[in-house]
Amino acid sequence: MIRLRERQSRFLAALVEGSDASDLGAGPGETGMDIYRNNYRSALIGALESTFERTARLAGREAFRQAAIHHVIAHPPTSWTLDVVGQGFAGTCRALFVNDPDVAEIAWLEWAMACSFTSRDTDVISLEDFERISAAYDDSHWTQLRLSFLPALTIGSAQFDLTVLWRSLAETSRDVEVAAAEPGQRVVVWRDGERPVFRLMSESEAYCLETMQSGAAFGEICEHLAVGAGAESGGQQAAAMLRKWLSLSLVESVIVCHERRKP
Amino acid sequence: MTAIKPFRGFGLGLRPPHYREFVERDVPVDFVEVISENFMVDGGKPLRILREVRERYPVALHGVSLSVGSADGVDPEYLERLAGLVRSIEPLWVSDHLCWTRTSAHNSHDLLPLPLTHEAMQVVCDNIDRSQEALGRAMLFENPSSYLSFPEDEMPEWAFLSEMSRRTGCFLLLDINNIYVSAHNHGFDPVDYLAGIPADRVRQIHLAGHTPGDVLIDTHDRAVCDAVWELYARAMRDLGPVAVMIERDDAIPPLNELLAELEYARTVAVSAISEPLA
């Protein structure tokens, strides 16, 4: 008698790779296997269609469906949650829509927005909170200041004006507007309350944000900006960025000298 | 391990088109059932809505990914997430299906059929023991719809469920539509199925619609059909106090339409309990 592990391995191979299932016995037989194959395929493609609505509009329904089938075959799911089926789909689009790089870019954005939607809840530090916390900072505090950002804060590249493109893809009845972004623009995604949001950001500011997100101190971005603008102007630019990040509610906590402060 | 007390009531599945109504008005249900995986997330709007719903109604958690039939065992990360949700929601009970969904290599995201063998029984019981221990409570397991069976089958599904419940202390969620669908697809008598189920282990009933054809498909996209209502009435004559729920997962109608169907389920139950078995 075939052992359970072997049976399940063969069954999944029949689903995922379409391999032979003729050893399955009574009942509707091959028709039954076709139902399971259809359920498998439609659940995964349905999850991709639900997560990447704008990408589907931009690519066209049939082209998107083909890309989704390709993705499911190339990346059969391993996780218990359907929420991660879209992981890597932007890369699939990049490979398949070589002449339409806007498709991969909007797919990246939709995926980042989807991830932020159910990211960990957290309090944020407001500009007022930070002014209170930092009132007694001296130079060494500022130099060593580190920030912890929202858990789902994500930074990506933006060849296209994603603000215009995103809006134009909101409804099927609108014409799609594709325009190039200003050179060097980046896109930042996070969750504002319960709502995923994004905005375009200059390359310089996005670099500083990404650098601090990876653990660098405020002093390091001041030094980076001072290289082109001089120490005083570099410091002013860094301070302006910090105010903006706090105003956008991107900062979860402040760390100075290994001390973490929350509001 | 905490047992599941009998609960007599009529409920609906919580689905996104109805979130607002469940939060903003007093929907006349005795409980709501939610799909566990939709809320096994880190944070955000889904969890906030579930907390608000939980403040207004008793909630049952119904999962689709535990995979107690997997020879590779249950996923510890999944169990940990589920346990966290159970701690925060304090549900009436936690249910899943007698099926498998995964191997250690891939996940099908579908409720796949188990060979009904003694080997599978041991695997299922071990996985249920592990799951109930992790959750600190007894669980419910639902009979799935199935579209094929295996040459190595050694017992009917009702005998498998009965023995599984006896060995693990788990309770049963009887899906009447699934019994009807599988009976048609495999050629057994649904009345034999009901007769083989230990009535005192059943805590919940699911009712749903299916797509007709040579092979019936469990699609949850339409109203309950007359034949399933008849089978439900027969089941209710033998069962003690149970929770009854209408499941709709596709082509979801306005809430009032589902409430009317639930009211019909109440009427059928009252009538069935008061009538002697023919």
Side-chain angles (χ1 to χ4, degrees):
Chain A
M1 185 171 76
I2 185 168
R3 299 300 301 257
L4 184 64
R5 181 170 277 108
E6 174 65 17
R7 167 64 75 203
Q8 293 183 337
S9 176
R10 281 196 214 172
F11 199 109
L12 263 191
L15 280 189
V16 174
E17 299 155 17
S19 62
D20 180 45
S22 58
D23 66 332
L24 292 169
E30 191 57 27
T31 308
M33 196 65 214
D34 288 343
I35 291 169
Y36 287 111
R37 282 196 184 103
N38 182 61
N39 285 352
Y40 170 73
R41 189 70 65 88
S42 59
L44 300 179
I45 291 172
L48 290 171
E49 285 172 340
S50 164
T51 304
F52 296 96
E53 286 183 359
R54 283 173 166 84
T55 308
R57 278 184 206 127
L58 184 59
R61 291 288 160 196
E62 189 47 38
F64 178 86
R65 188 172 173 76
Q66 291 305 317
I69 291 169
H70 179 93
H71 183 75
V72 166
I73 292 170
H75 306 283
T78 57
S79 168
W80 57 267
T81 172
L82 265 176
D83 288 354
V84 298
V85 169
Q87 182 89 47
F89 187 63
T92 297
C93 290
R94 200 170 296 119
L96 296 180
F97 298 97
V98 176
N99 297 321
D100 299 299
D102 49 339
V103 174
E105 201 160 292
I106 208 76
W108 181 91
L109 181 55
E110 286 200 289
W111 179 244
M113 301 276 271
C115 291
S116 74
F117 182 64
T118 53
S119 60
R120 176 172 56 79
D121 297 324
T122 182
D123 293 325
V124 293
I125 291 192
S126 67
L127 184 56
E128 293 73 27
D129 291 332
F130 182 76
E131 285 172 347
R132 184 172 42 78
I133 291 168
S134 63
Y137 279 9
D138 59 24
D139 284 352
S140 73
H141 285 106
W142 284 106
T143 303
Q144 294 173 53
L145 171 69
R146 287 178 168 80
L147 304 175
S148 170
F149 292 92
L150 294 179
L153 181 75
T154 311
I155 303 168
S157 60
Q159 280 181 261
F160 299 91
D161 187 333
L162 290 171
T163 306
V164 170
L165 184 57
W166 184 266
R167 201 178 301 132
S168 76
L169 289 167
E171 299 165 25
T172 48
S173 56
R174 290 185 61 161
D175 291 334
V176 177
E177 296 176 53
V178 181
E182 288 177 22
Q185 288 262 294
R186 307 284 300 278
V187 58
V188 181
V189 180
W190 72 99
R191 204 180 80 206
D192 183 10
E194 292 183 340
R195 197 168 56 98
V197 293
F198 72 92
R199 69 183 290 152
L200 296 175
M201 195 172 264
S202 72
E203 188 172 26
S204 171
E205 183 179 357
Y207 172 82
C208 292
L209 180 57
E210 208 164 28
T211 303
M212 286 207 74
Q213 190 185 26
S214 66
F218 188 64
E220 292 172 61
I221 68 161
C222 289
E223 282 178 22
H224 167 74
L225 293 167
V227 170
E232 188 176 340
S233 179
Q236 287 169 352
Q237 284 180 40
M241 288 177 188
L242 178 55
R243 271 196 300 277
K244 185 169 153 190
W245 301 340
L246 289 160
S247 301
L248 290 172
S249 300
L250 303 183
V251 179
E252 183 183 28
S253 62
V254 172
I255 307 121
V256 181
C257 301
H258 310 297
E259 175 193 3
R260 185 180 290 254
R261 293 190 186 180
K262 297 198 77 160
Chain B
M1 188 172 64
T2 312
I4 301 170
K5 290 179 184 163
F7 178 99
R8 192 190 298 276
F10 292 82
L12 289 176
L14 181 71
R15 302 294 181 262
H18 305 143
Y19 280 174
R20 180 182 289 260
E21 286 172 279
F22 272 98
V23 167
E24 292 183 355
R25 59 178 260 216
D26 285 328
V27 178
V29 293
D30 301 311
F31 72 101
V32 297
E33 183 187 87
V34 304
I35 304 298
S36 311
E37 289 79 4
N38 292 348
F39 302 93
M40 289 162 61
V41 293
D42 291 335
K45 190 174 179 181
L47 281 178
R48 191 263 297 163
I49 288 171
L50 180 58
R51 282 193 292 270
E52 289 182 13
V53 167
R54 179 65 186 88
E55 284 172 13
R56 300 177 77 104
Y57 312 90
V59 168
L61 293 179
H62 184 52
V64 293
S65 298
L66 180 57
S67 196
V68 288
S70 280
D72 289 342
V74 292
D75 178 349
E77 193 246 335
Y78 176 91
L79 256 188
E80 196 179 318
R81 284 252 179 192
L82 180 60
L85 185 64
V86 168
R87 280 193 297 274
S88 71
I89 294 302
E90 297 181 352
L92 283 170
W93 52 76
V94 184
S95 62
D96 207 292
H97 299 80
L98 173 64
C99 71
W100 64 286
T101 63
R102 62 181 282 274
T103 64
S104 55
H106 295 302
N107 199 308
S108 71
H109 296 286
D110 194 12
L111 310 176
L112 302 177
L114 264 177
L116 300 171
T117 62
H118 295 289
E119 184 202 8
M121 176 73 73
Q122 188 61 50
V123 165
V124 166
C125 290
D126 288 347
N127 286 334
I128 290 178
D129 286 345
R130 191 166 302 122
S131 304
Q132 292 186 145
E133 191 179 330
L135 301 184
R137 55 164 71 205
M139 295 180 69
L140 296 181
F141 287 92
E142 176 181 346
N143 55 301
S145 289
S146 69
Y147 311 108
L148 54 79
S149 56
F150 299 89
E152 61 265 36
D153 284 352
E154 295 172 324
M155 64 190 95
E157 189 173 279
W158 57 86
F160 195 102
L161 286 164
S162 180
E163 175 67 4
M164 173 190 92
S165 176
R166 189 190 67 77
R167 284 173 57 171
T168 65
C170 77
F171 291 85
L172 302 176
L173 193 173
L174 209 55
D175 189 312
I176 303 295
N177 179 61
N178 288 353
I179 295 175
Y180 183 80
V181 165
S182 293
H184 173 93
N185 291 345
H186 300 301
F188 62 78
D189 186 340
V191 176
D192 289 344
Y193 196 113
L194 287 180
I197 291 292
D200 63 332
R201 305 303 295 173
V202 178
R203 289 290 181 270
Q204 189 181 356
I205 293 279
H206 270 175
L207 294 165
H210 60 260
T211 300
D214 291 340
V215 177
L216 303 186
I217 304 179
D218 180 33
T219 41
H220 295 191
D221 61 351
R222 63 196 71 200
V224 178
C225 74
D226 289 345
V228 171
W229 283 123
E230 286 171 23
L231 197 57
Y232 164 65
R234 179 178 277 273
M236 292 301 281
R237 285 176 206 146
D238 295 333
L239 298 175
V242 290
V244 176
M245 203 203 83
I246 305 279
E247 267 191 314
R248 190 69 74 88
D249 292 303
D250 212 348
I252 296 172
L255 184 58
N256 283 342
E257 200 173 304
L258 288 179
L259 287 169
E261 200 175 16
L262 190 64
E263 187 55 35
Y264 186 65
R266 276 195 186 94
T267 305
V268 171
V270 168
S271 172
I273 292 166
S274 62
E275 284 176 16
L277 189 59

